[in-house]
Amino acid sequence: MIQDIESVLVSAEEIDRITSRIADEINRDYAESNKKLVLICILKGSLMFTSELMKKITLPAEIEFMKVSSYGAKTTSSGVINIHLDIKRDDLAEVDFLIIEDIVDSGRTLSHLTRYLAERGAASVKTCTLLDKPDRRTVDFTPDYCGAVIPDRFVVGFGLDYNEKYRNLPFVGILKPEVWGGR
Ligand code: PRP
């Protein structure tokens, strides 16, 4: 895989520092809440970030998984979010949800999911992303916790894929344009 990477954008060491910083913020922000803290890992890309982050959260957090896809996201601002795996629980009024993502691009996935869980009656809904690409935004959305703001480059690794590959790289790297057919 490594020969397909142009350069490392966020190193493994940097990711470790980022997860420590965000976990500290979460530990502080939710310390006084009397609700259940429930982390939501958005499959598949958020797998590695969620697992690294949750190891550093010292509050008693639960974990849930959701899988969503967004059609038309790349070309239009009016695509539809499809929920393929949903949360099944009846205690939403007792739950502080923290949705964890690998990347925010157009912003539509997290803005939709935040609204969806709030409308279902969650006590609170916040969002956390490892990477943010604000240049790609098509909706007005700002994550509550953000690891790193990055330029609009094709990034893979630490959960992020190109055609389902490169997710297992331990860092975030820029994919060589010749690999994905860009320039
Ligand atoms: C990526 C990412 C977010 C979404 C962000 O998922 O993990 O879920 O896109 O894009 P948005 O801000 O434009 O909505 P993807 O659909 O690539 O699925 P994956 O995590 O399974 O790779």
Side-chain angles (χ1 to χ4, degrees):
M1 291 186 288
I2 200 77
Q3 68 270 18
D4 294 344
I5 302 301
E6 181 180 295
S7 60
V8 174
L9 189 63
V10 190
S11 68
E13 295 72 24
E14 217 169 323
I15 291 170
D16 190 52
R17 282 196 294 275
I18 285 169
T19 51
S20 294
R21 172 185 47 89
I22 294 180
D24 285 350
E25 292 172 17
I26 291 167
N27 290 330
R28 183 199 61 210
D29 293 351
Y30 288 91
E32 304 301 322
S33 174
N34 57 2
K35 307 291 184 193
K36 305 172 197 170
L37 175 58
V38 177
L39 312 176
I40 306 177
C41 171
I42 306 300
L43 297 171
K44 299 175 188 173
S46 176
L47 171 72
M48 282 169 96
F49 180 45
T50 302
S51 65
E52 286 305 304
L53 186 65
M54 68 188 290
K55 285 195 274 184
K56 296 175 179 176
I57 293 176
T58 52
L59 303 168
E62 298 179 33
I63 178 87
E64 295 278 3
F65 296 89
M66 292 185 80
K67 183 156 177 53
V68 303
S69 66
S70 152
Y71 295 115
K74 308 303 169 202
T75 50
T76 72
S77 59
S78 58
V80 176
I81 303 291
N82 290 283
I83 297 178
H84 303 287
L85 174 65
D86 203 349
I87 290 172
K88 293 179 180 59
R89 50 193 302 161
D90 54 15
D91 62 346
L92 269 67
E94 302 303 314
V95 171
D96 288 326
F97 282 115
L98 181 57
I99 311 175
I100 303 179
E101 269 286 24
D102 52 341
I103 190 164
V104 180
D105 197 344
S106 71
R108 290 191 308 104
T109 302
L110 278 183
S111 113
H112 178 90
L113 286 180
T114 304
R115 204 166 44 244
Y116 173 71
L117 291 168
E119 282 170 1
R120 279 179 62 182
S124 75
V125 186
K126 283 190 173 184
T127 58
C128 173
T129 187
L130 173 64
L131 306 172
D132 189 2
K133 262 187 192 176
D135 292 348
R136 300 267 304 173
R137 213 60 109 247
T138 60
V139 297
D140 184 18
F141 178 80
T142 306
D144 296 291
Y145 303 93
C146 174
V149 173
I150 62 166
D152 186 14
R153 301 294 307 275
F154 201 133
V155 289
V156 294
F158 205 74
L160 292 118
D161 75 308
Y162 169 58
N163 279 349
E164 295 300 328
K165 296 196 179 63
Y166 307 98
R167 291 194 199 272
N168 54 322
L169 283 171
F171 57 83
V172 175
I174 296 173
L175 193 61
K176 286 181 180 169
E178 57 263 39
V179 176
W180 55 275
R183 57 186 198 86

Short mmCIF file of all heavy atoms in Angstrom, two decimals, residues 42-46 67-70 73-74 81 101-110 159 161 164 167, ligand 1:
data_model
loop_
_atom_site.label_atom_id
_atom_site.label_comp_id
_atom_site.label_asym_id
_atom_site.label_seq_id
_atom_site.Cartn_x
_atom_site.Cartn_y
_atom_site.Cartn_z
N ILE A 42 -19.81 5.31 13.28
CA ILE A 42 -20.43 5.26 11.95
C ILE A 42 -19.55 4.39 11.04
O ILE A 42 -18.43 4.77 10.70
CB ILE A 42 -20.60 6.68 11.36
CG1 ILE A 42 -21.37 7.59 12.32
CG2 ILE A 42 -21.32 6.59 10.01
CD1 ILE A 42 -22.77 7.14 12.67
N LEU A 43 -20.08 3.24 10.70
CA LEU A 43 -19.34 2.27 9.87
C LEU A 43 -19.26 2.75 8.43
O LEU A 43 -20.18 3.41 7.96
CB LEU A 43 -20.05 0.91 9.92
CG LEU A 43 -20.11 0.29 11.34
CD1 LEU A 43 -21.03 -0.94 11.33
CD2 LEU A 43 -18.72 -0.09 11.81
N LYS A 44 -18.17 2.40 7.69
CA LYS A 44 -17.08 1.64 8.25
C LYS A 44 -15.93 2.53 8.72
O LYS A 44 -15.09 2.14 9.53
CB LYS A 44 -16.52 0.69 7.16
CG LYS A 44 -17.50 -0.33 6.63
CD LYS A 44 -16.85 -1.10 5.47
CE LYS A 44 -17.84 -1.98 4.78
NZ LYS A 44 -17.24 -2.59 3.55
N GLY A 45 -15.85 3.73 8.14
CA GLY A 45 -14.64 4.55 8.28
C GLY A 45 -14.25 4.92 9.70
O GLY A 45 -13.08 5.15 9.99
N SER A 46 -15.24 4.98 10.60
CA SER A 46 -14.98 5.47 11.95
C SER A 46 -14.47 4.39 12.91
O SER A 46 -14.20 4.67 14.08
CB SER A 46 -16.27 6.10 12.50
OG SER A 46 -16.11 6.49 13.81
N LYS A 67 -24.77 2.38 10.22
CA LYS A 67 -24.19 2.40 8.88
C LYS A 67 -25.10 3.21 7.98
O LYS A 67 -26.30 2.96 7.94
CB LYS A 67 -24.01 0.97 8.35
CG LYS A 67 -23.35 0.93 6.99
CD LYS A 67 -22.66 -0.37 6.72
CE LYS A 67 -22.07 -0.40 5.30
NZ LYS A 67 -21.20 0.76 5.03
N VAL A 68 -24.53 4.18 7.33
CA VAL A 68 -25.33 5.04 6.46
C VAL A 68 -24.63 5.18 5.12
O VAL A 68 -23.43 4.96 5.00
CB VAL A 68 -25.53 6.45 7.08
CG1 VAL A 68 -26.17 6.34 8.45
CG2 VAL A 68 -24.22 7.21 7.17
N SER A 69 -25.39 5.53 4.11
CA SER A 69 -24.77 5.88 2.83
C SER A 69 -25.49 7.10 2.28
O SER A 69 -26.64 7.36 2.60
CB SER A 69 -24.83 4.73 1.84
OG SER A 69 -26.16 4.48 1.48
N SER A 70 -24.77 7.81 1.49
CA SER A 70 -25.27 9.08 1.01
C SER A 70 -25.17 9.10 -0.50
O SER A 70 -24.08 9.09 -1.05
CB SER A 70 -24.42 10.17 1.66
OG SER A 70 -24.35 11.29 0.87
N ALA A 73 -24.06 12.53 -2.97
CA ALA A 73 -23.27 13.44 -2.14
C ALA A 73 -22.15 14.11 -2.91
O ALA A 73 -21.80 15.24 -2.65
CB ALA A 73 -22.70 12.69 -0.94
N LYS A 74 -21.56 13.38 -3.80
CA LYS A 74 -20.36 13.89 -4.46
C LYS A 74 -20.68 14.95 -5.51
O LYS A 74 -19.85 15.76 -5.84
CB LYS A 74 -19.59 12.74 -5.11
CG LYS A 74 -19.31 11.58 -4.18
CD LYS A 74 -18.54 12.00 -2.92
CE LYS A 74 -18.52 10.88 -1.91
NZ LYS A 74 -18.26 11.34 -0.54
N ILE A 81 -29.75 10.57 2.49
CA ILE A 81 -29.01 9.73 3.43
C ILE A 81 -29.83 8.47 3.69
O ILE A 81 -30.98 8.55 4.11
CB ILE A 81 -28.75 10.46 4.76
CG1 ILE A 81 -28.02 11.77 4.56
CG2 ILE A 81 -28.00 9.56 5.73
CD1 ILE A 81 -26.60 11.66 4.11
N GLU A 101 -17.17 10.16 13.72
CA GLU A 101 -16.91 10.02 12.29
C GLU A 101 -15.42 10.08 12.01
O GLU A 101 -14.66 10.68 12.77
CB GLU A 101 -17.59 11.17 11.52
CG GLU A 101 -19.00 10.84 11.06
CD GLU A 101 -19.04 9.88 9.89
OE1 GLU A 101 -18.09 9.13 9.69
OE2 GLU A 101 -20.05 9.90 9.17
N ASP A 102 -15.03 9.50 10.89
CA ASP A 102 -13.64 9.67 10.44
C ASP A 102 -13.46 11.00 9.73
O ASP A 102 -12.42 11.65 9.88
CB ASP A 102 -13.22 8.50 9.53
CG ASP A 102 -14.18 8.25 8.39
OD1 ASP A 102 -15.34 8.70 8.46
OD2 ASP A 102 -13.79 7.60 7.40
N ILE A 103 -14.47 11.42 8.95
CA ILE A 103 -14.30 12.66 8.18
C ILE A 103 -15.65 13.34 7.94
O ILE A 103 -16.67 12.67 7.76
CB ILE A 103 -13.59 12.36 6.83
CG1 ILE A 103 -13.17 13.65 6.12
CG2 ILE A 103 -14.44 11.48 5.92
CD1 ILE A 103 -12.13 13.44 5.02
N VAL A 104 -15.64 14.66 7.95
CA VAL A 104 -16.80 15.46 7.52
C VAL A 104 -16.42 16.11 6.20
O VAL A 104 -15.39 16.78 6.09
CB VAL A 104 -17.17 16.55 8.55
CG1 VAL A 104 -18.37 17.34 8.04
CG2 VAL A 104 -17.47 15.94 9.90
N ASP A 105 -17.26 15.84 5.21
CA ASP A 105 -16.99 16.31 3.85
C ASP A 105 -18.08 17.36 3.51
O ASP A 105 -17.96 18.52 3.86
CB ASP A 105 -17.04 15.08 2.94
CG ASP A 105 -16.41 15.28 1.59
OD1 ASP A 105 -16.20 16.43 1.19
OD2 ASP A 105 -16.15 14.28 0.91
N SER A 106 -19.16 16.92 2.84
CA SER A 106 -20.26 17.86 2.57
C SER A 106 -20.95 18.29 3.86
O SER A 106 -21.55 19.36 3.93
CB SER A 106 -21.29 17.21 1.64
OG SER A 106 -22.02 16.20 2.31
N GLY A 107 -20.88 17.44 4.89
CA GLY A 107 -21.55 17.73 6.17
C GLY A 107 -22.94 17.13 6.25
O GLY A 107 -23.58 17.18 7.30
N ARG A 108 -23.39 16.51 5.16
CA ARG A 108 -24.79 16.05 5.14
C ARG A 108 -25.03 14.84 6.03
O ARG A 108 -26.08 14.74 6.64
CB ARG A 108 -25.23 15.79 3.70
CG ARG A 108 -25.36 17.12 2.95
CD ARG A 108 -26.02 17.01 1.60
NE ARG A 108 -25.39 15.99 0.80
CZ ARG A 108 -25.90 14.80 0.58
NH1 ARG A 108 -27.05 14.48 1.11
NH2 ARG A 108 -25.27 13.95 -0.17
N THR A 109 -24.05 13.92 6.12
CA THR A 109 -24.25 12.73 6.96
C THR A 109 -24.48 13.13 8.41
O THR A 109 -25.47 12.73 9.03
CB THR A 109 -23.02 11.79 6.85
OG1 THR A 109 -22.83 11.44 5.49
CG2 THR A 109 -23.23 10.53 7.68
N LEU A 110 -23.57 13.92 8.96
CA LEU A 110 -23.69 14.27 10.37
C LEU A 110 -24.83 15.24 10.64
O LEU A 110 -25.48 15.16 11.68
CB LEU A 110 -22.37 14.83 10.91
CG LEU A 110 -21.35 13.76 11.29
CD1 LEU A 110 -20.09 14.37 11.87
CD2 LEU A 110 -21.95 12.74 12.26
N GLY A 159 -8.90 4.05 8.69
CA GLY A 159 -10.34 3.88 8.50
C GLY A 159 -10.84 4.36 7.15
O GLY A 159 -11.83 3.85 6.63
N ASP A 161 -11.03 4.86 3.14
CA ASP A 161 -10.72 3.94 2.05
C ASP A 161 -10.71 4.60 0.67
O ASP A 161 -11.23 5.70 0.48
CB ASP A 161 -11.77 2.82 2.01
CG ASP A 161 -13.11 3.30 1.43
OD1 ASP A 161 -13.62 4.33 1.92
OD2 ASP A 161 -13.62 2.67 0.49
N GLU A 164 -12.55 0.52 -0.89
CA GLU A 164 -12.48 -0.40 0.26
C GLU A 164 -11.06 -0.76 0.69
O GLU A 164 -10.89 -1.54 1.62
CB GLU A 164 -13.29 -1.68 0.01
CG GLU A 164 -14.79 -1.44 -0.12
CD GLU A 164 -15.41 -0.80 1.12
OE1 GLU A 164 -14.93 -1.07 2.24
OE2 GLU A 164 -16.35 0.00 0.96
N ARG A 167 -7.83 1.12 4.37
CA ARG A 167 -8.39 1.45 5.69
C ARG A 167 -7.45 1.05 6.81
O ARG A 167 -7.46 1.65 7.88
CB ARG A 167 -9.72 0.70 5.90
CG ARG A 167 -10.87 1.15 5.02
CD ARG A 167 -12.18 0.57 5.57
NE ARG A 167 -13.26 0.56 4.60
CZ ARG A 167 -14.10 1.57 4.40
NH1 ARG A 167 -13.97 2.69 5.08
NH2 ARG A 167 -15.08 1.46 3.51
C1 PRP B 1 -17.73 8.86 4.55
C2 PRP B 1 -17.46 9.27 5.98
C3 PRP B 1 -18.74 9.90 6.43
C4 PRP B 1 -19.24 10.55 5.15
C5 PRP B 1 -18.85 12.00 5.17
O1 PRP B 1 -18.37 7.62 4.56
O2 PRP B 1 -17.11 8.17 6.78
O3 PRP B 1 -19.66 8.94 6.89
O4 PRP B 1 -18.59 9.88 4.04
O5 PRP B 1 -19.32 12.64 4.03
P1 PRP B 1 -20.38 13.84 4.06
O6 PRP B 1 -19.89 14.83 5.08
O7 PRP B 1 -20.28 14.36 2.65
O8 PRP B 1 -21.72 13.31 4.38
P2 PRP B 1 -18.52 6.70 3.27
O9 PRP B 1 -19.85 6.95 2.65
O10 PRP B 1 -17.32 6.85 2.40
O11 PRP B 1 -18.59 5.24 3.91
P3 PRP B 1 -17.47 4.38 4.70
O12 PRP B 1 -17.27 5.06 6.04
O13 PRP B 1 -18.09 3.03 4.85
O14 PRP B 1 -16.21 4.37 3.86
#
